[in-house]
Structure formats: C-alpha cells, structure tokens
Amino acid sequence: MKKKYSAGDIAFEVCLIIFMVLFVIITLYPVLNTIATSFNDGFDSIVNRVHLWPHKWSLDNYKTVLADKELKSAALVSVARTVIGTLLSLAVNALLAFVVSRKRFLFKRSVSLFWVITMYVNGGLIPTYLLMMKLHMLNSFWVYVIPGAVSAFNMLVMRNFMDGIPESLEESAEIDGAGYFTIFVKIISPLCKPVYATIALFVAVYQWNAWFDNMIYNRMATQYTVMQYKLMQMLQNSMASSGSVEGLRHNASHVTPNAIRAAATVVTMLPIICLYPFLQRYFVTGLTIGGVKE
Amino acid sequence: MANYTSASPMLGNKLSRSQHIRKEAPKQIFLLVSSALLIIYGIVFYYIPLVGWLTAFQNYQPAKGIFGSEWIGFAKFKFLFDDKTFWQDLRNTIAMGVINLVLSFVTAIGFALLLNEVRSMLAKRFIQTISYMPHFLSMIIVTAIVHDALSSEGAVNELLMSLKWVDQAIPFFSIKGYFWWIVAFTNIWKETGWNAIIYLAAITSIDPSLYEAADIDGAGRFQKMWYITLPSLKPTIIILLIINVGNVLNAGFELQYILGNDVIRSVSDTIDIYVLRWGIKQFDFSLGTAAGIFKSAVSIILVVLSNQVSKWAGEEKLF
C-alpha cells in the first residue's frame, strides 16, 4: 500500500529539515570558524573576516604555539595527567568493583554502602582545599590524579557489569586452586574489557578537560600548568586587552594574540574531536548502564 | 541482596555470623586487604573533608588546626546572611539554575522528538554524532567560542548587522540583561545533543503497535509525536527532573568566572564564585565553608521537596 502524505505531513517534513540544517550549522560553525582562523594570517583575520575557509593561509600561528616553551610544558603535563590519571583510576575502580561484586565477600554490603554515601555528600571546596594543604599536595602533580581516583559512580558502573558474569567461572577457577587475585586478573578483567574501555574514556576526557584543580591547587607551580588553564589565561588576556589592535602594535610578526589562541584551541580540542566519533558507542553504553541501574 | 549463606549452601544455617567470618576470612585475604586499603583512601579523601564542616563554626586558622581554633558558633552564618552580596549571588545562582533547567529540558526533549522523526538512518546518525560533539569540549574552549562569537567583530554581531537589525555591534558582555541568557544558550549549545541521548534510548522502547493504531485512526506525524512519543517519555522526564532540581544551585562556575567582568558582576557572580573569593582568595576558610554548607543544605532540601511533590502528584519518584 502506498502511503499518501497529507499537506500537514509535508509541512512538518519541511520544518524538520530546516530545523536540522540550522542545528548542524549552529553546532559546527563556531568550531570550523576557530579552525579556519587558526590557519589564517593573523593580520589578515582583522581586516578580512574569516568564516569557514582561510583567506590567506599561514602556519605561523601553529609555529608560534609549538615554539612556545610554556605551552609545550603545559601540553606535556596534560598528557601526563591524562595517561597516569586514567590508568590509576581504572586500576583502583576495577579492583574495588571486583571486591564488592564477589557474592561471598564478607563485608560486601557495608563496603558498598561506604562508597555509595560518597556520591551524595561531599565536603565541598574549602574543606577539600584544607585537606590538600594538610597533606602537602598543594603545588604538586599528584593533586591532579590522586584525589578523584576512586569514584563511586564509575565503580558502580563496573560492578553492574561484573555482576552479570556467571559465578560458575569463578568457582571452576577456584577448584583449580586460583586465589581471588588470580581470578581478578586472569578471569574477570579480560571479560570486562568493554566496561573498562567505557570508564577509561570517561576519565580520560575528564582529565584532559580539567583545569579547576590547576587554578586552585597549582596556581603558583607553573611547571604543573595544564593546557586548559593556559588556554584560559590566553582567553583572559585577550578579554583584558579587548580587541587585537592593541596587541598588534607590539608585534612585528604576522601573528596576533587571537590567532595564536585559535591555534592553541585547535591543538587542545584536536585529540577529542578526532577520537569521539569512534568512541561514541562506549560513551552511550556507559551512560545507559549508569542511568538504568544507578 | 544475596545472603552470604545462600552462596555457599554447604554451610547451611548452622554457622553463626562470627563463625562464618572466621571460616571464610583466610580465603578472602586479598579481598579484605584491598577493601581495607581503599577504605583508608576513602576516609582520607571523602570523609575527612566532612569533618572540615566544623570549621564553619570556628574562626579557623590553618596553623592551629580544627582542634586549636576558636569556636564562634553561628557568627560566620550571621555574617553570610547579613551580606548583601551573598543574597545577590544566591539570586543569580537560582535564576541561572532555573533558566538552565527549564531550557535544557525543553531543548533536549524537543531535539530527541524531532531527531526521531528524521527518516534517513544515515542523516540521523550524522546529526546525532554532530550534536554531542560540544559535550566533550572543555568549558574553557566553549567559553572561548562563545566569547569570540559574541564579540564586537563576532559572528552574531556580523549576522545582526548584515540583516540590518542593528546599526552597530551590541556589546553583549557589558549589558546586564543579556548575561543569564548567554549562559543558558551556552549550556544549550554544549549539552542538548548529549542530554537527548537518554530520551532517544527511551523512545526506542515504545511499543510500535501504538503507532500502528494511530495510523489506522489517521493520525499525522506531528500528532503521533505529540500524543504518543511525548507522553511515553513522561517517566524518564520526571526522574531526570527530580535529579536535576537538586543541581539547580550548581548552575555553574566556569562560564560565570571567566566571562564575568566588573560591569556585570552583580548579575554574573554565583555562590561558587562567592565561596572561592572568600575562601581561597581572602583566606577566610570558615566563611567559605559556611557558604558551601548552606548550598549543600538547600540542594538536599530541593531534591527531597521535588521528590515529595512528584509523589503527591502520583508520579514516579527517586526514593
């Protein structure tokens, strides 16, 4: 049977298409515009507005960014905290999830409860700051990776996954003489690869994008400045000087603060933009597991 | 919850809890040791800061510690409640929180409903993938994008001027009336696609026979969307609404902190900025903690209230 479309349905379809096109434009334009600006000659960007395509190609902005020692150090710190933070967080959350998902574990309920409580109450900014001060973690790299390593939410997502693994696997390993450590490493972990990937991605994105801890705890320790915080400083500078004309006068070369900032922004978002379309499967799984069972 | 005896049927019911522990503990050394280490970690990083709440009732000095500092009762709270800036920041926080809450729900639901109507699977996947890209960008990058788009040479002013709606560029960041809406729009831009995921997942579980019945009754596409899809989302919407009402006071920090300037500070500052300013920059840790406690208390009350309202209305509830 061939469907007949009413006038209302056609009008609906037209509105839908217009809406979706606008939606895609509004979402993509600012990002593409930043990329185009980063490849355009800095002077030229002030005279001729750049939209989606550079008028006057130039790699000077990137050369300046890549030559900047502070930015290089910030990029290294960002990579380090992302790698170390993700591995650490993955290891401890997986271990904890393993422990509380063992059906015979003697303190299964009380240990779970201990961690679930941390999801609902927290000390807040100042008490946490005072704690870091007492622990001598101010002005150190470890303040980025240690305080948030165990997260009850991530642990619960993993636990829900582990709960679904048949107990018989564990029992047969036990008969063969395997202890819990061996069961964790050799039996459970290989089966948990999808959920490990999900959590690793959540943590990695968080670590890459974090900057607040930098501002609060490591403001003075410039050797631990991360990329995002550097970017924030650049943004605040360009807001303070409001407009690039001022910056131009002191600058003999063809780069402007705004053009450099665009290049730094692209460098910072590049890993995420390149990776996220491939990772979306994991993110969506993680979100739905967390949402349904939490 | 599984009973520990049921997992090992041979034990039967004859062993008491303590006998059972004595018998099982040697086998579980790995579990016991690792959970103990993690609990020490948890006490240090999650529970000790709660003890820090006591500093709100003290004139806290780091050198003297919690046990050596002078107790001053509710003096810090009194200062807080007498401070005009605190009430102004609270108002800003609530205003931005409520605007964000309402708009982010409407846009996410609306977007999910409309995306569901896109027939081509390819287009649907493409739009959805684009839609949640901004979620993964850091707030700094998003703020920079908003700042550039709204600057006097930015895309928005350019568009408005070429449409002849305005004669000269609007200084968006120096007009108080715009700020809350800039924050709201930024949040919509960043999160609509991401927030829609959960609704799109719920839509896939709607019984297709409902749509078939509607077809027979001659319903159009808009009517099906309005009378079938939207009502089916009601339980999801209500649960998310209850969860998010508790977050109203977390209306934001980053955008307001970076974009706020002296001209618009009276509308842009939030409680989080207040805490930061007093607690970290002025070293009045006690006052910062007091403001933080106030915020937590209000958030808890809001969640309980919205849960109750939903219960009275006979709807879903969180607890």
Side-chain angles (χ1 to χ4, degrees):
Chain A
M1 189 178 87
K2 205 176 172 233
K3 260 195 182 163
K4 249 186 97 180
Y5 294 109
S6 70
D9 281 352
I10 292 167
F12 183 84
E13 188 74 36
V14 170
C15 292
L16 186 66
I17 292 170
I18 294 174
F19 173 85
M20 286 301 164
V21 169
L22 277 179
F23 182 90
V24 170
I25 291 175
I26 291 174
T27 309
L28 281 185
Y29 180 81
V31 176
L32 296 177
N33 179 253
T34 310
I35 297 175
T37 311
S38 75
F39 281 109
N40 199 53
D41 183 272
F43 267 128
D44 185 66
S45 303
I46 298 168
V47 192
N48 292 311
R49 238 165 238 166
V50 180
H51 294 112
L52 292 174
W53 202 252
H55 306 296
K56 200 172 162 190
W57 282 85
S58 155
L59 289 173
D60 287 350
N61 304 321
Y62 285 97
K63 281 181 191 149
T64 317
V65 166
L66 295 177
D68 189 323
K69 280 213 179 75
E70 285 179 22
L71 277 172
K72 221 185 262 174
S73 141
L76 274 179
V77 176
S78 281
V79 170
R81 74 173 288 177
T82 305
V83 172
I84 298 174
T86 307
L87 292 178
L88 182 68
S89 184
L90 193 61
V92 287
N93 282 314
L95 177 61
L96 184 59
F98 173 76
V99 170
V100 297
S101 62
R102 291 313 93 200
K103 300 225 163 43
R104 268 181 285 171
F105 178 48
L106 291 166
F107 305 102
K108 183 180 156 81
R109 292 194 69 163
S110 32
V111 173
S112 293
L113 185 67
F114 175 90
W115 286 103
V116 169
I117 289 173
T118 65
M119 281 171 47
Y120 295 96
V121 283
N122 68 77
L125 179 65
I126 306 296
T128 310
Y129 178 84
L130 293 174
L131 175 71
M132 297 305 150
M133 196 159 78
K134 293 280 177 207
L135 292 175
H136 299 289
M137 283 175 80
L138 299 187
N139 302 320
S140 83
F141 175 79
W142 301 108
V143 79
Y144 294 145
V145 291
I146 291 179
V150 182
S151 133
F153 181 81
N154 291 345
M155 180 274 279
L156 287 180
V157 172
M158 287 186 176
R159 192 195 72 183
N160 288 335
F161 191 90
M162 290 179 183
D163 279 342
I165 297 174
E167 221 187 329
S168 53
L169 278 174
E170 183 188 325
E171 279 161 7
S172 58
E174 225 174 320
I175 292 167
D176 293 343
Y180 277 108
F181 179 73
T182 318
I183 294 172
F184 173 52
V185 177
K186 296 244 170 86
I187 314 265
I188 302 294
S189 288
L191 293 171
C192 285
K193 273 182 198 148
V195 75
Y196 284 2
T198 308
I199 297 301
L201 295 169
F202 271 123
V203 179
V205 169
Y206 163 78
Q207 286 284 2
W208 183 256
N209 284 341
W211 63 282
F212 187 68
D213 42 14
N214 185 172
M215 184 178 85
I216 298 290
Y217 304 123
N218 282 346
R219 184 191 284 266
M220 303 299 172
T222 45
Q223 70 270 35
Y224 301 126
T225 297
V226 299
M227 205 59 193
Q228 304 284 349
Y229 190 56
K230 202 79 206 137
L231 212 55
M232 183 187 115
Q233 288 172 332
M234 291 169 111
L235 178 62
Q236 283 187 325
N237 286 341
S238 73
M239 281 163 77
S241 67
S242 78
S244 25
V245 186
E246 202 52 36
L248 268 179
R249 298 214 176 98
H250 310 287
N251 213 328
S253 71
H254 270 232
V255 285
T256 61
N258 275 338
I260 296 176
R261 183 159 60 81
T265 306
V266 173
V267 171
T268 314
M269 64 185 177
L270 201 66
I272 288 189
I273 298 260
C274 293
L275 287 178
Y276 95 92
F278 304 103
L279 310 178
Q280 55 173 313
R281 185 164 56 97
Y282 293 113
F283 277 111
V284 176
T285 334
L287 193 77
T288 35
I289 299 173
V292 173
K293 297 273 271 187
E294 196 233 310
Chain B
M1 190 111 270
N3 189 331
Y4 56 87
T5 49
S6 68
S8 36
M10 284 186 300
L11 291 168
N13 295 324
K14 285 167 203 151
L15 290 178
S16 70
R17 170 93 176 144
S18 65
Q19 281 171 311
H20 178 66
I21 289 178
R22 238 170 287 145
K23 190 162 183 298
E24 279 284 303
K27 293 184 214 156
Q28 300 192 356
I29 287 187
F30 175 69
L31 301 183
L32 292 168
V33 170
S34 40
S35 63
L37 289 176
L38 288 165
I39 279 181
I40 294 172
Y41 171 93
I43 289 173
V44 171
F45 286 98
Y46 287 99
Y47 285 78
I48 288 182
L50 293 178
V51 181
W53 278 19
L54 290 174
T55 56
F57 306 96
Q58 294 183 318
N59 201 351
Y60 180 77
Q61 279 159 324
K64 291 184 185 164
I66 283 192
F67 302 105
S69 295
E70 175 200 2
W71 293 90
I72 53 168
F74 286 88
K76 289 293 175 190
F77 286 94
K78 193 171 172 329
F79 177 90
L80 205 62
F81 297 143
D82 288 341
D83 184 6
K84 268 196 197 132
T85 341
F86 175 73
W87 292 111
Q88 177 197 292
D89 292 356
L90 181 64
R91 178 205 64 185
N92 297 340
T93 313
I94 293 174
M96 284 185 260
V98 171
I99 295 173
N100 280 346
L101 181 72
V102 173
L103 289 184
S104 67
F105 264 81
V106 173
T107 51
I109 296 165
F111 178 69
L113 289 176
L114 290 176
L115 187 63
N116 184 49
E117 296 295 325
V118 173
R119 293 223 178 108
S120 145
M121 271 317 281
L122 197 68
K124 204 168 171 174
R125 275 193 72 89
F126 173 75
I127 296 168
Q128 207 191 352
T129 305
I130 298 288
S131 78
Y132 52 75
M133 177 266 294
H135 171 81
F136 296 107
L137 299 179
S138 74
M139 207 58 184
I140 303 282
I141 290 177
V142 173
T143 311
I145 283 173
V146 170
H147 170 262
D148 291 347
L150 294 179
S151 70
S152 51
E153 305 102 43
V156 173
N157 270 316
E158 196 187 352
L159 182 70
L160 291 178
M161 270 154 50
S162 63
L163 290 172
K164 302 263 184 268
W165 285 358
V166 293
D167 299 331
Q168 52 187 14
I170 302 174
F172 283 101
F173 297 111
S174 2
I175 298 175
K176 288 182 182 175
Y178 288 152
F179 190 78
W180 293 350
W181 303 99
I182 294 174
V183 171
F185 181 80
T186 309
N187 281 313
I188 291 173
W189 186 79
K190 193 173 189 293
E191 305 295 344
T192 296
W194 181 253
N195 290 338
I197 292 176
I198 204 135
Y199 298 112
L200 286 164
I203 286 174
T204 55
S205 62
I206 298 174
D207 184 0
S209 63
L210 289 174
Y211 294 104
E212 284 155 21
D215 276 336
I216 294 166
D217 290 344
R221 285 175 71 188
F222 182 78
Q223 286 165 313
K224 280 188 275 183
M225 187 177 94
W226 192 255
Y227 292 108
I228 300 175
T229 319
L230 188 58
S232 310
L233 291 178
K234 206 167 103 182
T236 317
I237 295 174
I238 288 171
I239 288 285
L240 288 177
L241 208 53
I242 297 173
I243 294 174
N244 282 301
V245 162
N247 274 327
V248 158
L249 291 191
N250 290 328
F253 165 80
E254 298 166 302
L255 262 179
Q256 290 88 340
Y257 184 77
I258 303 169
L259 290 179
N261 57 55
D262 288 334
V263 184
I264 52 168
R265 202 157 315 279
S266 64
V267 292
S268 70
D269 274 4
T270 59
I271 299 222
D272 289 338
I273 296 178
Y274 185 91
V275 171
L276 188 76
R277 194 158 287 147
W278 281 101
I280 308 263
K281 294 201 172 149
Q282 307 284 333
F283 299 108
D284 192 336
F285 297 116
S286 297
L287 186 64
T289 308
I293 292 178
F294 178 81
K295 190 185 137 187
S296 302
V298 174
S299 297
I300 291 169
I301 293 170
L302 284 176
V303 173
V304 173
L305 269 183
S306 59
N307 195 51
Q308 279 298 324
V309 169
S310 174
K311 207 159 128 188
W312 286 327
E315 300 291 354
E316 308 284 323
K317 58 186 192 300
L318 193 59
F319 45 82

